[in-house]
Amino acid sequence: MRAPPNKVSTKGRRKGSSKKVTAKSIKVPSQRSTKRLASRWERIDVQYPGSYEGSNSTPNTVIPPKRVKNQSLRPSMLRQIPEEFHPFIDSLVHVEGDGHCGFRCVAAMLDMGEDEWPTVRQNLIQELDTEFGMYCSIFGIAEANEIRCALHVTSDGPVGDDKWMTVPNMAYIIATTYKVVFMTLAISGCSIFFPLRGSPDPPALHKRMAVAFVNTNHFIGVVLRDGHPMPLTAHMWTYNRRVEAQTWVDPYSARIAAYSAYLTAKHGGGDPSVVDLSEE
């Protein structure tokens, strides 16, 4: 931004005839008028195009990308993701923590933009209603109804924990609704969810999505590089998926087995998917 080339006199009346501003110039009473502050800025813009490109008056507005990725990995967040995934983390997708964070993560990771969380909720309700019998056989009628109640909201404001995204039950619905390989990461354990129905696409076209549960009350998205470990398959998928969906796991079997072996060695043998909750 540069100053006007000529000094502007602010005292008295201009001597001589006043030259009217043409239609091609800025539409203000005079080239030298100081009565409207905006004219000073407008004249600078005309005389020196591009000198004020950051102004709100600029007609071309830069729209931020729908998918927000924070390249600076927060140590506090990383500590809550199993260390074996750290070398493969490209970025973390941080979303607003208003009770809709899980659905915001799904929307952001699908390149819809996190503010499309109502669409995600509605899509999950539609899937649940379409295959209600299947989900009742998996979760039970009472829990299936509870899931539907948790998905339904009547406003776009913050909500309590009764409306949060819950894992593992909603993870099955997410994977099936969007036909994605859905991974959940947490220090307490990691799982992978495949669609319960529908034939898989060729492996090269598979969409993979990962979310991490942090701070005991918040979800963030995790963008992983190729070759990352594959968590253990969610237990109920094996017994409840339809026949046409059984090959979803095939391209990942070797990596899942490798991760299982890693957990076995790390925890000193035994089934890593079993946690002893006895007092002893």
Side-chain angles (χ1 to χ4, degrees), residues 1-263:
M1 182 169 62
R2 296 181 237 177
N6 300 319
K7 183 178 180 180
V8 179
S9 175
T10 61
K11 295 183 179 181
R13 180 180 177 183
R14 280 187 63 192
K15 294 182 179 180
S17 61
S18 175
K19 184 179 179 181
K20 293 185 178 181
V21 180
T22 64
K24 295 182 178 179
S25 61
I26 300 300
K27 294 181 180 180
V28 293
S30 168
Q31 292 279 5
R32 287 174 161 267
S33 172
T34 60
K35 292 182 179 180
R36 191 166 75 89
L37 183 60
S39 66
R40 299 285 300 273
W41 297 106
E42 291 166 345
R43 185 165 65 251
I44 292 172
D45 284 344
V46 171
Q47 291 174 342
Y48 306 104
S51 64
Y52 196 53
E53 291 180 351
S55 170
N56 290 332
S57 63
T58 306
N60 296 325
T61 303
V62 178
I63 301 176
K66 293 180 181 178
R67 182 170 178 168
V68 181
K69 299 197 300 183
N70 188 343
Q71 296 295 341
S72 59
L73 305 179
R74 302 179 187 177
S76 62
M77 297 293 187
L78 283 175
R79 285 194 293 269
Q80 300 177 70
I81 299 174
E83 60 183 6
E84 55 268 28
F85 290 91
H86 290 190
F88 300 92
I89 295 177
D90 178 64
S91 59
L92 302 179
V93 180
H94 300 285
V95 298
E96 186 177 345
D98 56 357
H100 304 292
C101 57
F103 307 103
R104 287 179 177 275
C105 282
V106 173
M109 300 291 279
L110 289 172
D111 290 328
M112 298 164 59
E114 69 168 278
D115 290 338
E116 286 299 313
W117 59 263
T119 302
V120 173
R121 282 185 178 271
Q122 189 56 46
N123 289 344
L124 299 185
I125 290 174
Q126 184 177 354
E127 165 63 20
L128 183 60
D129 289 347
T130 301
E131 296 291 339
F132 195 70
M134 178 181 72
Y135 290 108
C136 283
S137 67
I138 297 173
F139 308 127
I141 297 176
E143 188 170 349
N145 281 316
E146 287 179 7
I147 294 170
R148 194 188 191 289
C149 216
L151 289 170
H152 179 70
V153 293
T154 55
S155 71
D156 58 359
V159 293
D161 57 6
D162 60 321
K163 298 292 185 178
W164 290 1
M165 185 178 84
T166 54
V167 174
N169 50 21
M170 289 186 191
Y172 291 104
I173 305 174
I174 292 168
T176 307
T177 299
Y178 293 108
K179 208 173 182 179
V180 297
V181 178
F182 189 67
M183 291 169 282
T184 58
L185 310 178
I187 291 297
S188 59
C190 306
S191 294
I192 184 169
F193 300 82
F194 297 103
L196 290 164
R197 62 188 182 90
S199 301
D201 294 324
L205 300 179
H206 284 191
K207 297 177 182 177
R208 294 188 294 276
M209 182 190 307
V211 299
F213 188 61
V214 298
N215 300 340
T216 71
N217 63 357
H218 187 56
F219 283 101
I220 59 173
V222 183
V223 181
L224 296 170
R225 302 187 186 99
D226 289 338
H228 60 80
M230 299 296 289
L232 303 178
T233 306
H235 180 70
M236 289 192 292
W237 180 85
T238 305
Y239 301 101
N240 293 282
R241 51 101 185 111
R242 291 185 177 169
V243 174
E244 75 273 11
Q246 65 183 356
T247 57
W248 269 101
V249 70
D250 292 351
Y252 310 102
S253 295
R255 290 163 68 182
I256 293 172
Y259 185 70
S260 179
Y262 165 82
L263 290 179

